[in-house]
Amino acid sequence: MHETVLILDFGSQYTQLIARRVREEQVYCKIVPSSITADEIRQEGARALILSGGPNSTLGKNAPRIDAAIFDLDIPILGICYGLQLMALHFGGKVVPGTSREYGPANVVHHADHVLMEHVAQESSVWMSHGDHVGEPPPGFQVVARSRDDLIAAVAHDSRPFVGVQFHPEVNHTVEGKTILANFLFRMAGFSRDWTPSSFVDDSIRAIREQVGDRKVILGLSGGVDSSVLAFLLHQAIGERCIPVFINNGLLRANEANEVMDQFSASHIKVYRHDYSERFLNALEGITDPETKRKTIGRIFIEAFEEVAQAYTDLDFLAQGTLYPDVIESGGVTGHAATIKSHHNVGGLPERMSLKVLEPFRLLFKDEVRAVGRILDVPAPIIGRHPFPGPGLAVRCLGPITRERLDILRAVDRIFINALHASDWYDRIWQAFAVLLPLQTVGVMGDQRTYENVVALRAVHSTDGMTADWVRLPQDILADVSRQIVNGVPGVNRVVYDVTSKPPGTIEWE
């Protein structure tokens, strides 16, 4: 049993980043609803708690609250932003409505000798994201740090292991956030580093065997990093009782189906291939709304797997390589987060489904799955593959989905990706792809007027998919790719490059 931190989720988009930072310190953590009770926390055997930020005001009538008995457990507690304000109110402090929202980088100065700020520079750059703030610390608390605007930035109880910060130590923009979290975990809570990718593999194999028993699992295998690593994990856990099924939905990239089959054949994992492309494409005919596309693909996806599953006995589970960014963008883990877009393996599942869903990676980020893949000896080309959306090219072919438009997009995408491989840029990029736009522009080819399609190229750097920055590709590469596309792909006469980061944009266009 691992030493455990429980993260009480009050709806912050950063909640899973807290978990990510804790796991990077090789400490096991779980995200739980903010409504959890002190008795439930005691049953979990938690050694420490972190109260997340959130979008609400603690002064609001319907704002999420906390079981007051939690503070009687006498285990270390770190409150972050909203969590700090809840703690302050509980102990009799004052929370003041902000006259303006403080969002972005700020400098804080710590002037109290407290373990939370050990090895942190006297003045340090942090990331703020709040409206309200603590106006007066509660009795028995000292102010540990203040912002340059003289607002309270961190507090600590004089004798009990309770601390809180107004800023977000979990985000990269807080320069010494890792040190602050490590001080809480190790110097205040006394954790040892007993949770690693190897321990995740061991725990997952044990949990899968316990949950599945002697029954079978059908795996939705796309060939991407997540489902491929999951195939290796399930194969190690239950052997041939894992049935990897590759569904050709007609929305794949050029020659992708054959490449996936070849990769797994070389790894001696049997994959069952089924072609449902006609059903998917017929169902998508005439649909242009992105959410309707995703929901439609999700529906056909499950129908296909249920049909395939009828050929097997003792089959109770559908395994998917769902990651946390899919979950958070589809509405969050605990119900507080906003929906950005539904994912076919999250928001597209029908309410009535005969198979139970098995998602061992649901609380992991992409790079963590890659680390798990290395432990499982997944081949490097699979681990290094760029993310590919579950709905495939449907969310990169903006507007109507037709076979002709998909063929154009495949040809463009292949040119772009091949060029990145040839120039040694592919492995330096988190994700790169092409998008076919639902518009046409005037061009000139061979002294003739053309009126044809526009394609956009997109390449981003990221570590976890939650934020991303566009890649500054060399102009000569972009120029060569554009020339190849316009000269080699009939129906395209203009190429543009996307220079939008996330936020405000998402990585995918739909």
Side-chain angles (χ1 to χ4, degrees):
M1 185 72 176
H2 295 288
E3 300 169 336
T4 303
V5 178
L6 293 185
I7 301 171
L8 278 62
D9 180 24
F10 291 94
S12 172
Q13 291 289 328
Y14 299 140
T15 296
Q16 184 64 17
L17 288 180
I18 303 172
R20 173 185 171 78
R21 300 301 173 230
V22 171
R23 291 197 295 260
E24 286 174 351
E25 297 295 335
Q26 298 180 352
V27 174
Y28 179 67
C29 64
K30 290 173 64 176
I31 296 175
V32 296
S34 59
S35 58
I36 191 171
T37 66
D39 286 341
E40 290 168 334
I41 290 173
R42 193 179 291 108
Q43 291 169 14
E44 289 277 358
R47 188 162 179 166
L49 305 177
I50 297 177
L51 314 181
S52 83
N56 297 282
S57 167
T58 55
L59 304 175
K61 182 181 298 185
N62 298 318
R65 299 300 178 189
I66 192 171
D67 180 2
I70 284 172
F71 294 103
D72 296 327
L73 296 172
D74 212 31
I75 59 177
I77 299 176
L78 168 63
I80 297 175
C81 195
Y82 186 92
L84 160 66
Q85 294 169 25
L86 277 179
M87 186 185 298
L89 288 173
H90 172 79
F91 286 101
K94 291 185 178 180
V95 174
V96 179
T99 55
S100 62
R101 183 176 176 85
E102 188 175 20
Y103 182 85
N107 286 345
V108 300
V109 178
H110 67 92
H111 48 78
D113 184 18
H114 192 275
V115 65
L116 184 68
M117 305 301 285
E118 282 193 16
H119 307 299
V120 175
Q122 194 73 30
E123 182 170 345
S124 189
S125 180
V126 302
W127 185 261
M128 295 285 190
S129 178
H130 67 93
D132 303 343
H133 62 272
V134 177
E136 291 183 18
F141 280 75
Q142 62 174 312
V143 176
V144 173
R146 290 183 178 272
S147 72
R148 275 296 177 188
D149 295 330
D150 203 36
L151 298 181
I152 293 174
V155 301
H157 197 281
D158 293 334
S159 59
R160 303 177 70 185
F162 303 149
V163 293
V165 294
Q166 184 61 70
F167 53 88
H168 288 271
E170 69 272 22
V171 303
N172 288 327
H173 303 289
T174 297
V175 175
E176 296 177 280
K178 181 177 180 179
T179 300
I180 293 169
L181 286 173
N183 285 339
F184 173 74
L185 294 171
F186 305 116
R187 304 180 74 83
M188 289 188 64
F191 281 96
S192 59
R193 301 177 186 271
D194 70 343
W195 194 81
T196 63
S198 293
S199 66
F200 175 85
V201 170
D202 293 340
D203 291 346
S204 296
I205 288 174
R206 190 181 309 113
I208 290 166
R209 288 173 177 169
E210 181 178 332
Q211 184 175 2
V212 173
D214 59 359
R215 291 163 293 180
K216 297 187 180 73
V217 177
I218 189 169
L219 166 64
L221 179 69
S222 69
V225 176
D226 314 322
S227 63
S228 296
V229 173
L230 183 53
F232 278 78
L233 177 66
L234 289 168
H235 188 74
Q236 186 163 325
I238 59 175
E240 293 186 359
R241 285 186 291 117
C242 169
I243 302 166
V245 171
F246 180 80
I247 298 290
N248 183 354
N249 59 10
L251 302 167
L252 304 174
R253 290 167 291 196
N255 201 40
E256 189 162 21
N258 292 333
E259 290 173 357
V260 169
M261 298 302 294
D262 291 344
Q263 285 176 334
F264 278 87
S265 176
S267 297
H268 306 292
I269 295 179
K270 185 176 182 179
V271 175
Y272 299 83
R273 178 175 177 174
H274 298 268
D275 190 346
Y276 277 80
S277 56
E278 287 297 316
R279 186 182 299 188
F280 276 91
L281 295 178
N282 289 339
L284 288 168
E285 186 175 352
I287 296 175
T288 59
D289 176 71
E291 279 297 281
T292 306
K293 286 181 184 178
R294 290 177 179 272
K295 297 289 187 181
T296 302
I297 291 167
R299 175 175 57 81
I300 304 299
F301 174 82
I302 297 301
E303 288 176 0
F305 273 88
E306 289 192 315
E307 288 182 10
V308 171
Q310 292 176 3
Y312 305 94
T313 57
D314 300 322
L315 182 62
D316 285 346
F317 295 92
L318 165 63
Q320 297 189 136
T322 307
L323 301 189
Y324 187 78
D326 303 335
V327 176
I328 192 90
E329 289 186 335
S330 297
V333 177
T334 55
H336 293 305
T339 299
I340 298 170
K341 59 185 177 183
S342 66
H343 290 254
H344 87 288
N345 52 349
V346 181
L349 298 181
E351 293 182 3
R352 188 189 63 80
M353 187 177 64
S354 63
L355 300 176
K356 304 181 190 74
V357 177
L358 189 68
E359 297 174 318
F361 299 157
R362 188 178 178 85
L363 293 181
L364 295 187
F365 286 92
K366 180 78 70 175
D367 58 323
E368 293 174 314
V369 173
R370 287 186 166 120
V372 168
R374 294 183 188 99
I375 298 296
L376 294 167
D377 293 324
V378 177
I382 294 178
I383 292 176
R385 193 180 189 211
H386 287 187
F388 187 60
L393 297 182
V395 292
R396 295 178 179 175
C397 185
L398 277 57
I401 306 296
T402 67
R403 289 163 178 77
E404 180 185 11
R405 299 188 78 229
L406 289 171
D407 287 341
I408 291 173
L409 182 54
R410 288 189 184 98
V412 170
D413 191 79
R414 175 54 65 95
I415 289 171
F416 186 32
I417 298 304
N418 284 349
L420 294 178
H421 279 296
S423 59
D424 292 327
W425 269 89
Y426 184 87
D427 291 331
R428 298 158 63 183
I429 294 171
W430 165 267
Q431 190 171 357
F433 55 91
V435 180
L436 180 61
L437 305 186
L439 57 89
Q440 296 177 309
T441 63
V442 174
V444 178
M445 292 183 180
D447 295 326
Q448 297 292 319
R449 177 186 183 276
T450 62
Y451 192 64
E452 294 179 333
N453 294 288
V454 181
V455 295
L457 306 180
R458 178 101 161 118
V460 297
H461 291 306
S462 183
T463 56
D464 49 37
M466 297 298 289
T467 61
D469 190 23
W470 63 279
V471 177
R472 278 68 172 170
L473 284 173
Q475 292 184 13
D476 58 340
I477 293 178
L478 290 173
D480 183 59
V481 169
S482 176
R483 178 188 58 78
Q484 290 186 58
I485 291 171
V486 172
N487 290 339
V489 181
V492 177
N493 69 355
R494 191 177 300 272
V495 179
V496 298
Y497 188 58
D498 185 348
V499 295
T500 312
S501 296
K502 175 185 179 179
T506 55
I507 295 177
E508 298 288 345
W509 278 43
E510 288 188 344

